[in-house]
Amino acid sequence: MPGSNRSAAGSGPRRAEAPPPSVALTRFARPRSRGLTRRGSQRLWLVIFLAPATALFALFTTYPIVSALVYSLYRWEGIGRRELVGLENFVRLFTTFPYSQLLLNAFWHNVVVFVVTMLAQNVVALGLALLLARGPWGAKVYRVIFFLPVTLSLIIVGFLWALFLNPVFGIVNQLLATLGLAALARPWLGDTHTALVTLTLVNAWRWLGFPTIVFLAGINAVPDEYLEAARLDGATEWQVTRHVVFPLLASAVTIIVLLTFIGSFNWFELPYIVQGVSGGPNRSTDVLGLFFYRMAFGEVDTGLQDIGVGSAIAVLMFILLVTVSVFAAGWLRRREVELA
Amino acid sequence: MTKRTLWMPLGQLVLALNSVVVLVPLLIMMLSAFKNTREIFQNAFGLPVVWRWENFTRVWVEAKFALYFRNSVVITLASIVVILVLGAMAGYALGRFRFGGNDLLYLYFLSGLMLPLRLGIIPLFILMRNLRLLDTPWALILTYAASGLPSAVFILTGFFRALPSDLDSAARIDGASEWLIYRRVMLPLVRPALIIVAVYNLIPIWNDFFFPLVFIHSDRLKTVPLGMTAFFGQYYTDWATLFAGLTLAALPVVALYVLLSQHFIRGLTAGALKG
């Protein structure tokens, strides 16, 4: 998508054949005395400007990601690469014990994290954004407060809530007892039934402000005339929200769903910090990120490590994320064309 | 209108309640940092009887937080500098010059916004080992700089592109060198974009745990998030010290946020909102 003023400012070799008259004068008015033409020297400057960033990006992000795909096709002994085995790592991951059980268990937990986050975090965020968009008293301060936990490290958040959720001394169970709800108190993070959802809610506590701000920006971007027109036609506030605001929020919703999806399937820090690399208790909080990490760098208690299988998990996660991202991006573009 | 006024108190209640849910845990964290462990267990919600500042000295000196902070500051600043310098140069070339492959290179950088680098951690680990950079700050700085470039290129290319075209033409007529045009004329004009790029990358790099976990083993090189795991292992029964450590670790970011909240909110949501 060439921007209009970029082509006007353009000075590269491609345009030099037939440049706009004014530009042509400036370009060739002062040839370099060193013998380099302006064109040649500009090409050199482009290399100087672009090469460092491109080299750094290629070596430390593109190369590792592409290599991960290649690694999944080899047999590995510890950190040593052996012979090419085709898709054998994938077959082992899907069909042999304990890999297939662990994969299914972890994948299911990622799905749970995604669904619970959508309900407990994003739906609440949408409600808060709708309230804030009405400009109530203190709206600016609320915005700042709600976003605060987003800036905190997940390590701080994880350790803090691990202390709060301690079955004996934690404030959560103490609070329940004070409210006469002692029967509800339980080891939230130590019980296989509650651990994953509790941890997801801690995650939602940290992230809630983010979708709130994105939704709020989306609501504020709805032109006032649309709202006025609907109100003049006698629409109730709910009808205005439902039929005018929501359709125009579709882009913001898509972005948040996509980011929630990426976040849920890359989940690592919180379960690692709070529940350990094996996703305790009894793998009830094991997710793909932990499973991948254990295969790559070894599990402490079982000593199990398999870089081939680990790379296969990375490839699967990669395919999943790219597919969903491309799908969402395409959907977003179609929406924008419809609205334009 | 009557319906609106009727609903507003309920709305206020919801907003206030959510503020409590956000703030009270942080408040309890800070208050607990001043108590001793027995007091935390017996009186979790009240004010400390005596304000025990020595909890912080213990964390800062004994638990080596001073060291972890220094490492975090050095690594974060170095990464941000590399991102800004290289990202601005690339963004300038992509935004101001028309050349073959321009769009392709731009999209190549943008692809990095979508692909999580941690899926390439095994090859990255082996690469760092072969370069003998494991357990050095360079492994982190290079990784953060490389993964921060897509956002920098995306934001800065847009800003450079939007600058009026006669600025650099005028400088060229005067015979200024390309470097001078970039450094003295164009770069100062995108300063707001440089701030956005810095904030966008600052918090994720400062808070990152994954890459230090993989690359750093020596205690003397640990950053705050990684150092905290060692700290929690060591003091796990000493809750007063733990809360002091959490408070101290949260303090710089929270203080900066209170001062610059609008920049933070805009910067951190920049990826999800279009400029």
Side-chain angles (χ1 to χ4, degrees):
Chain A
M1 359 151 230
S4 55
N5 60 40
R6 182 172 52 164
S7 35
S11 52
R14 203 204 284 170
R15 303 212 109 238
E17 306 307 327
S22 61
V23 178
L25 279 175
T26 67
R27 280 297 113 77
F28 300 105
R30 249 171 210 261
R32 280 289 179 85
S33 50
R34 265 187 290 155
L36 268 174
T37 62
R38 188 97 212 180
R39 262 172 75 179
S41 98
Q42 234 157 30
R43 200 187 293 251
L44 186 67
W45 275 113
L46 279 179
V47 172
I48 293 172
F49 279 122
L50 287 167
T54 312
L56 190 70
F57 181 65
L59 184 59
F60 293 103
T61 71
T62 314
Y63 165 75
I65 289 179
V66 173
S67 299
L69 307 182
V70 177
Y71 281 16
S72 70
L73 304 175
Y74 284 83
R75 192 173 67 80
W76 288 78
E77 269 171 31
I79 201 165
R81 193 165 76 171
R82 299 292 176 257
E83 74 277 7
L84 191 72
V85 291
L87 296 177
E88 201 191 285
N89 289 318
F90 292 89
V91 174
R92 280 203 301 146
L93 175 62
F94 278 110
T95 60
T96 60
F97 179 85
Y99 300 123
S100 59
Q101 285 80 354
L102 287 170
L103 178 72
L104 201 68
N105 179 54
F107 178 80
W108 169 245
H109 290 157
N110 284 110
V111 173
V112 171
V113 171
F114 174 68
V115 173
V116 173
T117 305
M118 284 301 297
L119 296 174
Q121 172 189 298
N122 296 345
V123 171
V124 174
L126 181 60
L128 292 173
L130 285 168
L131 285 173
L132 287 174
R134 296 180 157 212
W137 181 84
K140 273 213 168 107
V141 180
Y142 285 134
R143 234 171 70 105
V144 173
I145 293 175
F146 294 176
F147 200 78
L148 171 63
V150 177
T151 63
L152 291 177
S153 142
L154 277 164
I155 309 311
I156 297 177
V157 173
F159 279 135
L160 180 64
W161 282 96
L163 294 178
F164 285 164
L165 290 160
N166 181 291
V168 184
F169 302 112
I171 58 164
V172 174
N173 283 348
Q174 280 189 39
L175 198 65
L176 288 172
T178 318
L179 297 171
L181 298 168
L184 284 179
R186 64 195 66 232
W188 298 98
L189 294 167
D191 183 328
T192 51
H193 295 105
T194 53
L196 184 64
V197 172
T198 306
L199 207 56
T200 309
L201 293 179
V202 169
N203 191 58
W205 177 84
R206 195 259 188 165
W207 278 109
L208 182 66
F210 190 91
T212 307
I213 296 291
V214 173
F215 288 141
L216 183 61
I219 298 167
N220 286 337
V222 175
D224 280 340
E225 304 91 77
Y226 291 15
L227 306 177
E228 294 305 322
R231 287 196 189 111
L232 281 176
D233 287 346
T236 64
E237 279 306 305
W238 169 245
Q239 283 173 326
V240 172
T241 305
R242 170 71 188 78
H243 296 289
V244 181
V245 177
F246 280 1
L248 292 170
L249 265 185
S251 306
V253 170
T254 312
I255 286 166
I256 289 301
V257 173
L258 177 63
L259 290 177
T260 304
F261 184 84
I262 294 174
S264 304
F265 280 82
N266 275 320
W267 216 36
F268 177 79
E269 278 86 349
L270 219 43
Y272 179 91
I273 279 297
V274 179
Q275 308 287 30
V277 75
S278 303
N282 196 20
R283 303 218 192 271
S284 64
T285 56
D286 196 15
V287 284
L288 288 174
L290 289 177
F291 184 28
F292 167 58
Y293 182 85
R294 292 199 304 270
M295 287 300 108
F297 299 104
E299 184 164 23
V300 186
D301 23 335
T302 62
L304 198 62
Q305 180 192 21
D306 192 323
I307 288 189
V309 171
S311 300
I313 301 169
V315 171
L316 289 178
M317 291 169 74
F318 183 81
I319 292 170
L320 187 71
L321 294 176
V322 169
T323 312
V324 172
S325 302
V326 167
F327 184 77
W331 197 85
L332 264 180
R333 191 163 306 152
R334 267 210 316 281
R335 273 292 313 175
E336 273 162 19
V337 173
E338 272 169 35
L339 289 174
Chain B
M1 272 297 134
T2 50
K3 214 174 157 192
R4 254 184 117 166
T5 45
L6 198 73
W7 277 97
M8 265 345 240
L10 194 68
Q12 277 289 348
L13 190 71
V14 172
L15 293 172
L17 207 67
N18 193 56
S19 306
V20 168
V21 171
V22 169
L23 290 180
V24 165
L26 297 176
L27 201 66
I28 291 179
M29 171 183 83
M30 285 187 237
L31 290 178
S32 303
F34 290 98
K35 298 175 180 174
N36 65 27
T37 302
R38 181 143 43 103
E39 206 182 340
I40 294 172
F41 290 165
Q42 287 168 351
N43 175 25
F45 301 98
L47 290 175
V49 181
V50 192
W51 294 76
R52 294 171 201 276
W53 290 92
E54 64 268 24
N55 290 348
F56 291 99
T57 350
R58 193 158 57 243
V59 169
W60 190 251
V61 182
E62 260 179 56
K64 289 184 270 193
F65 267 49
L67 179 71
Y68 301 150
F69 264 101
R70 206 198 58 195
N71 292 336
S72 273
V73 169
V74 169
I75 287 168
T76 307
L77 285 184
S79 310
I80 298 279
V81 167
V82 178
I83 291 171
L84 289 178
V85 171
L86 300 192
M89 283 165 61
Y92 174 67
L94 290 170
R96 299 301 288 187
F97 294 88
R98 191 85 202 127
F99 57 92
N102 179 313
D103 288 341
L104 207 65
L105 195 59
Y106 180 67
L107 286 177
Y108 171 56
F109 277 114
L110 245 56
S111 71
L113 286 175
M114 277 295 172
L115 304 177
L117 178 57
R118 51 176 72 185
L119 292 183
I121 191 64
I122 298 170
L124 192 58
F125 177 83
I126 293 174
L127 175 68
M128 292 297 180
R129 194 196 55 156
N130 294 343
L131 295 173
R132 306 203 178 284
L133 294 177
L134 278 187
D135 211 22
T136 70
W138 292 106
L140 293 175
I141 295 170
L142 290 168
T143 303
Y144 293 146
S147 53
L149 278 173
S151 64
V153 168
F154 175 62
I155 295 170
L156 289 163
T157 301
F159 266 76
F160 276 119
R161 203 175 274 175
L163 295 177
S165 61
D166 30 352
L167 285 172
D168 39 345
S169 310
R172 278 196 189 92
I173 298 173
D174 292 344
S177 77
E178 287 298 329
W179 179 255
L180 217 62
I181 296 172
Y182 164 72
R183 183 66 191 81
R184 296 267 170 248
V185 182
M186 306 306 276
L187 196 60
L189 294 171
V190 295
R191 201 176 296 155
L194 293 175
I195 294 175
I196 295 178
V197 172
V199 173
Y200 184 84
N201 286 291
L202 182 73
I203 297 299
I205 293 176
W206 176 268
N207 284 341
D208 182 58
F209 172 70
F210 187 73
F211 292 109
L213 177 68
V214 174
F215 293 149
I216 303 294
H217 298 287
S218 315
D219 202 37
R220 68 187 168 81
L221 291 172
K222 282 179 178 165
T223 57
V224 177
L226 187 62
M228 295 231 328
T229 56
F231 166 68
F232 259 73
Q234 196 182 344
Y235 290 86
Y236 69 101
T237 53
D238 183 357
W239 281 34
T241 307
L242 294 184
F243 275 114
L246 287 169
T247 304
L248 204 61
L251 202 64
V253 176
V254 171
L256 213 61
Y257 176 72
V258 170
L259 288 173
L260 300 168
S261 57
Q262 293 317 314
H263 281 291
F264 269 59
I265 294 175
R266 208 175 313 132
L268 285 169
T269 55
L273 300 172
K274 281 179 290 181

